[in-house]
Amino acid sequence: MSSFHVQNFGCRASQADGAAIESALLAQGLAAAPNSSQAQLVVLNTCTVTASADEDVRKAVHRVHRENPAARILVTGCYAQRAPQELAEMPGVTWVVGNSHKVQIPEIVSESVLPYPELPYHGQIHVGDIIVGDIMAQHEFLAAPVEDAAGDRTRPNLKIQDGCNNRCSFCIIPFVRGRSRSAPADRVIAQVRDLAARYREVVLSGINLGRWGREPGSSMRLADLLHRLLAETPIERLRLSSVEPMDWSDELLNLVATSARIAKHVHAPLQSGSDRVLRRMHRKYRPRHYEDRVRKARAWMPDAAIGADVMTGFPGESDAEFEETRAFIQSLPFTYLHVFTYSARPGTPAAESPQVPMEVRRDRNRVLRELAAEKNLEFRRRMLGRTLSVVTLTDGALSDNFLKVELATPRAPNRLLDVKVGSLTPNGLREHNALTVL
């Protein structure tokens, strides 16, 4: 094989994993193909957080095999770790490699048969093998900077943490990603220093980002890492991706609020505003804890983006419990929401519980999306006439407080600049144009 193509599914952490795989294959001497139809090896780096994510992967396997039947397909990532046999039985799939052995993909694909005594498959890898081991024994950290998942080439995503020690009753991720582990601080600093020479903004991400540095024997926390990044690198803007509510400490919130080089953006997964539902989810906070964090973030950062993930239709969620969530969200100063319909994951406790009818789940999803749209519109209206700091993208710009901005005149991507907001777009803002707006 001389050419390959990597297609990524799912979260920023998965995107970063895909970038690391691509870098490793390039180092092995393979050439990157522009698409799967022109590649001899197609790597599908998968997500399994919902049933629809699984379905997207299966459709991709069928499409690749139909359009490029000579290609060897390697399926890796979270779906491969969870259900390897299911994927191995699909026509066209050559290898299924779990997260447990993702770092060994270049060696696995280099020949049809390879000696590999440390693998749990009798020392050999054959074409057609399933190569999946115990993810809980995984200690290697696979990471590389990756371009923004939306296709923008100006906001690289750097994964600095992987895995999760939580056991939320609905979530399969700890079982396919393993225990929490952190990239070493010196390595993160070196990577950000390198990225700062080419980019204005870097997004720090992880499966459970707020747990960075919390391995036994470590005294550093995420806020400590940020202090070092600000002191030891010239990066102009850092942005945090999702951080669990209990990890938004006063120290971390204060640092985000007071540093001119950290984006005013707080994303804290909520999942439910009902105390009873949170308990059934095995989440580690109650609504009052969450509200305290969000209200402190708004008090310290009046114009910050504040967002949350919310799930509708969790098993057993009653009309009254859903109304608690809706009212809770209504009462808080969110600027956007990521609303998800509950999807049963085999092997999780919630999947064994009585399920909410799908039409009810979807209707609740619609209600919360409409509420989120109202809150986002209110937030955008507050920005009219204001001057915002933005990073320019390949198409438009993104503000410090996470709003898409349509530029009045084109600018080169990958620049930080101040723009005055003139009007609203359907989903964002438009820069004031002094030539046409009085």
Side-chain angles (χ1 to χ4, degrees):
M1 291 179 292
S2 61
S3 64
F4 72 93
H5 180 74
V6 178
Q7 181 177 350
N8 297 305
F9 300 79
C11 65
R12 285 183 176 272
S14 181
Q15 304 289 323
D17 289 346
I21 293 169
E22 183 168 348
S23 297
L25 291 173
L26 289 170
Q28 191 82 357
L30 279 70
N35 52 59
S36 60
S37 63
Q38 299 179 50
Q40 293 174 303
L41 168 68
V42 177
V43 178
L44 301 178
N45 182 34
T46 65
C47 173
T48 193
V49 72
T50 63
S52 61
D54 291 347
E55 179 62 21
D56 288 343
V57 172
R58 292 192 293 268
K59 287 179 180 177
V61 171
H62 288 306
R63 177 184 54 77
V64 172
H65 186 51
R66 181 179 66 251
E67 297 176 357
N68 187 2
R72 289 182 175 179
I73 300 174
L74 185 151
V75 186
T76 188
C78 294
Y79 191 178
Q81 184 72 32
R82 183 185 68 80
Q85 191 65 46
E86 181 178 307
L87 292 164
E89 293 172 356
M90 295 189 68
V93 173
T94 305
W95 295 285
V96 179
V97 181
N99 283 330
S100 57
H101 291 89
K102 191 179 282 187
V103 296
Q104 296 159 354
I105 285 175
E107 290 77 17
I108 290 169
V109 303
S110 62
E111 295 181 24
S112 295
V113 181
L114 289 173
Y116 226 103
E118 61 265 40
L119 289 175
Y121 292 97
H122 311 295
Q124 298 288 311
I125 298 174
H126 298 270
V127 172
D129 265 345
I130 295 173
I131 307 164
V132 179
D134 180 8
I135 192 62
M136 301 311 290
Q138 173 66 279
H139 298 292
E140 291 194 75
F141 192 89
L142 178 68
V146 62
E147 291 171 2
D148 183 82
D152 300 312
R153 298 177 182 271
T154 58
R155 302 173 59 246
N157 164 41
L158 181 63
K159 187 182 79 170
I160 66 171
Q161 184 276 339
D162 203 348
C164 184
N165 296 345
N166 297 332
R167 290 295 181 269
C168 299
S169 63
F170 57 83
C171 187
I172 196 68
I173 296 305
F175 304 99
V176 297
R177 282 276 179 180
R179 294 188 64 80
S180 180
R181 53 201 182 276
S182 306
D186 289 345
R187 175 171 156 187
V188 175
I189 290 164
Q191 288 180 308
V192 172
R193 187 180 294 123
D194 176 67
L195 290 169
R198 292 173 285 143
Y199 300 100
R200 310 282 73 77
E201 177 177 308
V202 170
V203 182
L204 301 180
S205 68
I207 295 297
N208 192 350
L209 180 61
R211 296 280 99 181
W212 183 92
R214 291 181 179 266
E215 288 81 4
S218 171
S219 61
M220 287 192 71
R221 298 294 181 259
L222 182 58
D224 300 316
L225 178 65
L226 292 176
H227 279 295
R228 285 195 61 184
L229 289 170
L230 294 173
E232 299 176 37
T233 79
I235 190 65
E236 295 176 61
R237 177 172 293 160
L238 289 168
R239 189 182 298 268
L240 299 178
S241 59
S242 182
V243 174
E244 290 286 322
M246 53 277 195
D247 291 324
W248 279 109
S249 64
D250 281 3
E251 181 183 9
L252 183 58
L253 281 174
N254 182 65
L255 181 57
V256 173
T258 57
S259 173
R261 294 164 59 197
I262 302 179
K264 303 300 175 281
H265 184 179
V266 172
H267 187 98
L270 171 61
Q271 307 307 353
S272 175
S274 165
D275 183 90
R276 289 169 293 180
V277 173
L278 288 175
R279 291 179 188 275
R280 296 202 299 273
M281 288 180 168
H282 300 168
R283 299 290 283 170
K284 294 184 176 181
Y285 54 87
R286 304 278 75 85
R288 67 182 184 278
H289 303 141
Y290 190 97
E291 180 176 3
D292 174 76
R293 296 294 84 193
V294 167
R295 293 203 181 279
K296 184 162 285 188
R298 174 56 73 227
W300 290 359
M301 294 175 280
D303 297 324
I306 299 179
D309 303 316
V310 187
M311 181 184 296
T312 63
F314 182 77
E317 182 185 59
S318 66
D319 290 343
E321 289 169 338
F322 173 70
E323 174 56 24
E324 288 179 54
T325 293
R326 190 208 63 77
F328 186 71
I329 291 170
Q330 179 73 66
S331 71
L332 292 178
F334 291 113
T335 65
Y336 70 94
L337 297 177
H338 294 158
V339 184
F340 301 89
T341 300
Y342 169 77
S343 177
R345 299 287 75 205
T348 62
E352 307 303 320
S353 302
Q355 304 291 299
V356 174
M358 184 56 71
E359 61 270 21
V360 176
R361 300 184 217 176
R362 290 173 176 162
D363 186 61
R364 292 172 182 174
N365 183 299
R366 176 190 57 77
V367 170
L368 293 190
R369 286 182 183 272
E370 290 175 356
L371 177 55
E374 293 171 6
K375 284 183 168 289
N376 183 257
L377 177 60
E378 177 186 359
F379 182 58
R380 287 185 288 128
R381 282 175 173 160
R382 283 177 44 206
M383 298 299 113
L384 292 174
R386 305 278 293 277
T387 297
L388 302 179
S389 174
V390 304
V391 58
T392 56
L393 312 175
T394 52
D395 179 21
L398 184 74
S399 71
D400 174 70
N401 58 353
F402 204 55
L403 292 170
K404 288 294 296 288
V405 180
E406 181 181 301
L407 298 175
T409 56
R411 269 83 147 198
N414 196 28
R415 294 177 57 194
L416 275 183
L417 51 95
D418 292 336
V419 300
K420 184 176 181 180
V421 177
S423 58
L424 301 176
T425 66
N427 297 301
L429 304 170
R430 183 178 293 110
E431 181 186 12
H432 172 76
N433 187 340
L435 296 178
T436 59
V437 180
L438 299 179

